[in-house]
Amino acid sequence: MPGVESLPPLRDVIESHGLWARKSLGQNFLTDTNLLDRIVRTPGDLTGQTVYEVGPGPGGLTRALLRAGVEKLVAVERDPRCLSLLADISAVCAQLHVVAGNALAIEEAAIFPRPAHIVANLPYNVGTALLTRWLTGAPWWASMTLMFQKEVAQRIVATPDSSAYGRLSVLTQARATARIAFDVPARAFVPPPKVTSAVVHFLPLPSVDFHLLRNLEIVTAAAFGQRRKMLRTALKQLTPEPEVWLEAVGIDPTQRAETVTVAQFQNLARLYK
Ligand code: SAM
């Protein structure tokens, strides 16, 4: 097969197809090859690996992943306008399998019999929902390299006693190690969004108790749902006597959720039946 190098330049393809970005689909495209290759280098060497991309759009990141020598790339795209551009790529790269549809409805564990690396410039409107699902669902991914608005990236890696620390920080850090790999300025996108973005890299923790993780979702939803309130009030929706739980795990009932560590939240989740 001729390969990805045989394709016309991405900008020309976007222009010739008249592919203007749609805000409703969270579309901000990347065309800078150096930046796209940098994203693809973030998870390490992907040669021979299986990769999952959400929202390939016109295919800039897709092309970079194929250049990196992935063995299999599954890409799910919701916008029918992008499908003919993506078909042009799969016509020259058999490694690419395009799925037309909504990533929120995909059952990834059924598609990937061996762990896959997720690499995606996520649509902002569904990015957090997808991340929460991947963090709390079955362990089918080997790493995640994801673009978010910088403010969301900061919430993911935040530590207690900061305003960014919340449910997303706790769920992430109970399941993975996460770091901000680098920032991406708004001008790198077409069209430029209003905010700076950042690429976040996640590696799964070696052993995770998934039952506990589900309880953690419930406990953190209650605790951070009323983050200004003391925990003895916020947790009343889960137990008639929150003080008993809190004292059992060594948390002062007058503390607020944003002061509680991930390990303390896990101890609380163990008490939830
Ligand atoms: N990967 C391309 C790039 O980096 O230039 C496009 C990224 S753009 C931020 C997000 C892409 O996700 C768009 O192509 C959009 O159509 C697609 N998208 C939006 N919602 C989606 C969903 N629920 N499922 C699958 N794709 C979706």
Coordinates of all heavy atoms in Angstrom, one line a residue, residues 10 22 24-31 36 39 53-62 76-79 81-82 101-104 120-126 130 147 189, ligand 1:
L10 N -2.8 18.1 4.5 CA -4.0 18.1 5.2 C -4.8 19.4 5.0 O -6.0 19.4 4.8 CB -3.7 18.0 6.7 CG -4.9 17.9 7.6 CD1 -5.8 16.7 7.4 CD2 -4.4 17.9 9.1
R22 N -17.5 22.8 13.0 CA -18.8 23.0 13.7 C -18.6 23.0 15.2 O -18.1 22.1 15.8 CB -19.7 21.8 13.3 CG -20.2 21.9 12.0 CD -21.6 21.3 11.8 NE -22.1 21.5 10.5 CZ -22.5 20.5 9.7 NH1 -22.6 19.3 10.1 NH2 -22.9 20.8 8.5
S24 N -20.9 22.9 17.4 CA -21.8 22.0 18.1 C -21.1 20.6 18.3 O -21.5 19.9 19.2 CB -23.1 21.8 17.4 OG -22.8 21.3 16.1
L25 N -20.1 20.3 17.5 CA -19.4 19.0 17.6 C -18.1 19.2 18.2 O -17.2 18.3 18.2 CB -19.3 18.4 16.2 CG -20.5 17.8 15.6 CD1 -20.3 17.5 14.1 CD2 -21.0 16.6 16.3
G26 N -17.8 20.3 18.9 CA -16.6 20.6 19.6 C -15.4 20.5 18.6 O -14.3 20.0 19.0
Q27 N -15.6 21.0 17.4 CA -14.5 20.9 16.4 C -13.5 22.0 16.4 O -13.8 23.2 16.2 CB -15.1 20.7 15.0 CG -15.9 19.4 14.8 CD -16.5 19.2 13.5 OE1 -16.8 20.2 12.8 NE2 -16.7 18.0 13.1
N28 N -12.2 21.7 16.7 CA -11.1 22.6 16.6 C -10.0 21.7 16.0 O -9.5 20.8 16.7 CB -10.7 23.2 17.9 CG -11.8 24.0 18.6 OD1 -12.5 23.5 19.4 ND2 -11.9 25.3 18.1
F29 N -9.6 22.0 14.8 CA -8.7 21.0 14.1 C -7.2 21.4 14.3 O -6.9 22.6 14.5 CB -9.0 21.0 12.6 CG -10.4 20.6 12.3 CD1 -11.2 21.2 11.3 CD2 -11.0 19.5 13.0 CE1 -12.5 20.8 11.0 CE2 -12.3 19.1 12.7 CZ -13.1 19.8 11.7
L30 N -6.4 20.4 14.3 CA -4.9 20.6 14.4 C -4.3 20.3 13.0 O -4.6 19.2 12.5 CB -4.3 19.7 15.4 CG -4.7 20.0 16.9 CD1 -4.1 18.9 17.8 CD2 -4.1 21.4 17.3
T31 N -3.4 21.1 12.5 CA -2.8 20.9 11.2 C -1.3 20.9 11.3 O -0.6 20.6 10.3 CB -3.3 21.9 10.2 OG1 -3.0 23.2 10.7 CG2 -4.8 21.8 9.9
L36 N 1.5 17.7 16.1 CA 0.8 16.4 16.0 C 1.8 15.2 16.3 O 1.4 14.3 17.1 CB 0.1 16.2 14.6 CG -1.1 17.1 14.4 CD1 -1.4 17.2 12.9 CD2 -2.3 16.6 15.2
I39 N 2.4 15.1 20.1 CA 1.3 14.5 20.8 C 1.5 12.9 20.7 O 1.4 12.2 21.7 CB -0.1 14.9 20.3 CG1 -0.3 16.4 20.4 CG2 -1.2 14.0 20.9 CD1 -1.6 16.9 19.7
E53 N -8.6 6.2 18.6 CA -8.7 7.7 18.5 C -10.2 8.1 18.5 O -11.0 7.5 17.7 CB -8.0 8.2 17.2 CG -8.1 9.7 17.2 CD -7.6 10.4 15.9 OE1 -7.2 9.6 14.9 OE2 -7.6 11.6 15.8
V54 N -10.6 9.0 19.3 CA -11.9 9.5 19.3 C -11.9 10.9 18.5 O -11.1 11.7 18.8 CB -12.5 9.7 20.7 CG1 -13.8 10.6 20.6 CG2 -12.8 8.4 21.3
G55 N -12.8 11.0 17.5 CA -12.9 12.3 16.8 C -11.7 12.6 15.9 O -11.1 13.6 16.1
P56 N -11.5 11.7 14.9 CA -10.3 12.0 14.0 C -10.5 13.2 13.2 O -9.6 13.8 12.7 CB -10.3 10.7 13.2 CG -11.6 10.1 13.2 CD -12.1 10.4 14.6
G57 N -11.8 13.6 13.0 CA -12.1 14.8 12.2 C -11.5 14.7 10.8 O -11.6 13.6 10.1
P58 N -10.7 15.7 10.3 CA -10.1 15.6 9.0 C -8.9 14.6 8.9 O -8.4 14.3 7.9 CB -9.7 17.0 8.6 CG -9.6 17.7 9.9 CD -10.5 17.0 10.9
G59 N -8.4 14.2 10.1 CA -7.4 13.2 10.1 C -5.9 13.6 10.4 O -5.0 12.8 10.1
G60 N -5.7 14.8 11.0 CA -4.3 15.2 11.2 C -3.6 14.3 12.2 O -2.5 13.8 12.0
L61 N -4.3 14.1 13.4 CA -3.7 13.2 14.4 C -3.7 11.8 13.9 O -2.7 11.0 14.2 CB -4.5 13.3 15.7 CG -4.0 12.7 17.0 CD1 -2.6 13.2 17.3 CD2 -4.9 13.0 18.1
T62 N -4.7 11.4 13.1 CA -4.7 10.0 12.5 C -3.5 9.8 11.7 O -2.8 8.8 11.8 CB -6.0 9.9 11.7 OG1 -7.1 10.6 12.4 CG2 -6.3 8.5 11.3
V76 N -13.2 6.6 15.9 CA -14.6 6.8 15.8 C -15.0 8.3 15.6 O -14.5 9.1 16.4 CB -15.3 6.1 17.0 CG1 -14.7 6.6 18.3 CG2 -16.8 6.4 17.1
E77 N -15.7 8.5 14.6 CA -16.1 9.9 14.2 C -17.6 10.0 14.0 O -18.2 9.2 13.3 CB -15.3 10.3 12.9 CG -15.7 11.7 12.4 CD -15.5 12.8 13.4 OE1 -14.4 13.0 13.9 OE2 -16.5 13.5 13.7
R78 N -18.1 11.1 14.6 CA -19.5 11.3 14.5 C -20.0 12.2 13.3 O -21.2 12.1 12.9 CB -19.9 12.1 15.8 CG -21.3 12.2 16.0 CD -21.7 12.7 17.3 NE -23.1 12.4 17.5 CZ -23.8 12.6 18.6 NH1 -23.1 13.1 19.7 NH2 -25.0 12.3 18.7
D79 N -19.1 13.0 12.8 CA -19.5 13.9 11.7 C -19.4 13.2 10.4 O -18.3 12.9 9.9 CB -18.6 15.1 11.8 CG -19.0 16.2 10.8 OD1 -19.8 15.9 9.9 OD2 -18.4 17.3 10.9
R81 N -19.5 14.4 7.5 CA -18.7 15.1 6.5 C -17.3 14.7 6.5 O -16.6 14.8 5.5 CB -18.8 16.6 6.8 CG -20.2 17.2 6.8 CD -20.1 18.7 7.2 NE -19.3 18.9 8.4 CZ -18.7 19.9 8.8 NH1 -18.6 21.0 8.0 NH2 -18.0 20.0 10.0
C82 N -16.8 14.1 7.7 CA -15.4 13.8 7.7 C -15.1 12.4 7.2 O -13.9 12.0 6.9 CB -14.9 13.8 9.2 SG -15.0 15.4 10.0
G101 N -19.9 7.0 14.1 CA -20.8 6.9 15.3 C -20.4 7.8 16.4 O -19.4 8.5 16.3
N102 N -21.1 7.6 17.5 CA -20.9 8.4 18.7 C -20.0 7.6 19.7 O -20.4 6.5 20.1 CB -22.3 8.6 19.4 CG -22.2 9.5 20.6 OD1 -21.2 9.8 21.1 ND2 -23.4 9.9 21.1
A103 N -18.9 8.2 20.1 CA -18.0 7.6 21.0 C -18.6 7.2 22.3 O -18.2 6.2 22.9 CB -16.7 8.5 21.2
L104 N -19.6 7.9 22.7 CA -20.2 7.7 24.0 C -21.0 6.3 24.0 O -21.3 5.8 25.0 CB -21.2 8.8 24.4 CG -20.5 10.1 24.9 CD1 -21.5 11.2 24.9 CD2 -19.8 9.9 26.2
A120 N -6.2 11.1 21.7 CA -7.3 11.9 21.1 C -7.2 13.4 21.4 O -6.8 13.8 22.5 CB -8.6 11.3 21.6
N121 N -7.6 14.2 20.4 CA -7.9 15.6 20.6 C -9.4 15.6 20.8 O -10.1 15.7 19.8 CB -7.4 16.4 19.4 CG -7.8 17.8 19.4 OD1 -8.2 18.3 20.4 ND2 -7.7 18.5 18.2
L122 N -9.8 15.5 22.0 CA -11.2 15.2 22.3 C -12.1 16.4 22.0 O -11.7 17.6 22.2 CB -11.4 14.9 23.8 CG -10.9 13.5 24.2 CD1 -11.0 13.4 25.7 CD2 -11.5 12.4 23.5
P123 N -13.4 16.1 21.6 CA -14.3 17.2 21.5 C -14.6 17.7 22.9 O -14.9 16.9 23.8 CB -15.6 16.5 20.9 CG -15.4 15.0 21.0 CD -13.9 14.8 21.2
Y124 N -14.5 19.0 23.1 CA -14.6 19.5 24.5 C -16.0 19.2 25.1 O -16.1 19.0 26.3 CB -14.4 21.0 24.5 CG -12.9 21.4 24.2 CD1 -12.6 22.5 23.5 CD2 -11.9 20.6 24.8 CE1 -11.2 22.7 23.2 CE2 -10.6 20.9 24.5 CZ -10.2 21.9 23.8 OH -8.9 22.2 23.5
N125 N -17.0 19.1 24.3 CA -18.4 18.9 24.9 C -18.6 17.5 25.5 O -19.5 17.3 26.3 CB -19.5 19.3 23.9 CG -19.1 18.8 22.5 OD1 -18.1 18.2 22.2 ND2 -20.0 19.1 21.6
V126 N -17.8 16.6 25.0 CA -18.0 15.2 25.6 C -16.7 14.7 26.3 O -16.7 13.5 26.8 CB -18.5 14.2 24.6 CG1 -19.9 14.5 24.2 CG2 -17.6 14.1 23.4
L130 N -16.4 11.2 28.6 CA -15.6 10.1 28.1 C -14.5 9.7 29.1 O -14.3 8.5 29.4 CB -15.0 10.4 26.7 CG -15.9 10.3 25.5 CD1 -15.2 10.9 24.3 CD2 -16.3 8.9 25.3
M147 N -6.2 15.5 24.8 CA -6.2 17.0 24.8 C -7.4 17.5 25.6 O -8.6 17.0 25.3 CB -6.2 17.5 23.4 CG -6.3 19.0 23.3 SD -4.6 19.7 23.2 CE -4.1 19.2 21.6
F189 N -4.9 25.8 16.8 CA -6.2 25.1 16.3 C -6.8 26.0 15.2 O -6.7 27.2 15.2 CB -7.2 25.0 17.5 CG -6.7 24.1 18.6 CD1 -6.0 24.6 19.6 CD2 -7.1 22.7 18.6 CE1 -5.6 23.8 20.7 CE2 -6.7 21.9 19.7 CZ -5.9 22.5 20.7
Ligands
SAM1 N1 -8.7 14.9 15.7 C1 -9.0 16.1 14.9 C2 -7.8 17.1 15.1 O1 -7.0 16.9 16.1 O2 -7.7 18.0 14.3 C3 -10.3 16.7 15.3 C4 -10.5 17.1 16.8 S1 -11.9 18.0 17.2 C5 -11.4 18.7 18.7 C6 -13.1 16.8 17.8 C7 -13.6 15.7 16.8 O3 -14.5 14.9 17.5 C8 -14.4 16.3 15.7 O4 -14.0 15.8 14.5 C9 -15.9 16.0 16.0 O5 -16.7 15.8 14.9 C10 -15.7 14.7 16.7 N2 -16.8 14.3 17.7 C11 -17.6 15.2 18.4 N3 -18.4 14.5 19.2 C12 -18.2 13.2 19.0 C13 -18.7 12.0 19.5 N4 -19.7 12.0 20.5 N5 -18.2 10.8 19.1 C14 -17.3 10.8 18.1 N6 -16.7 11.9 17.6 C15 -17.1 13.1 18.0

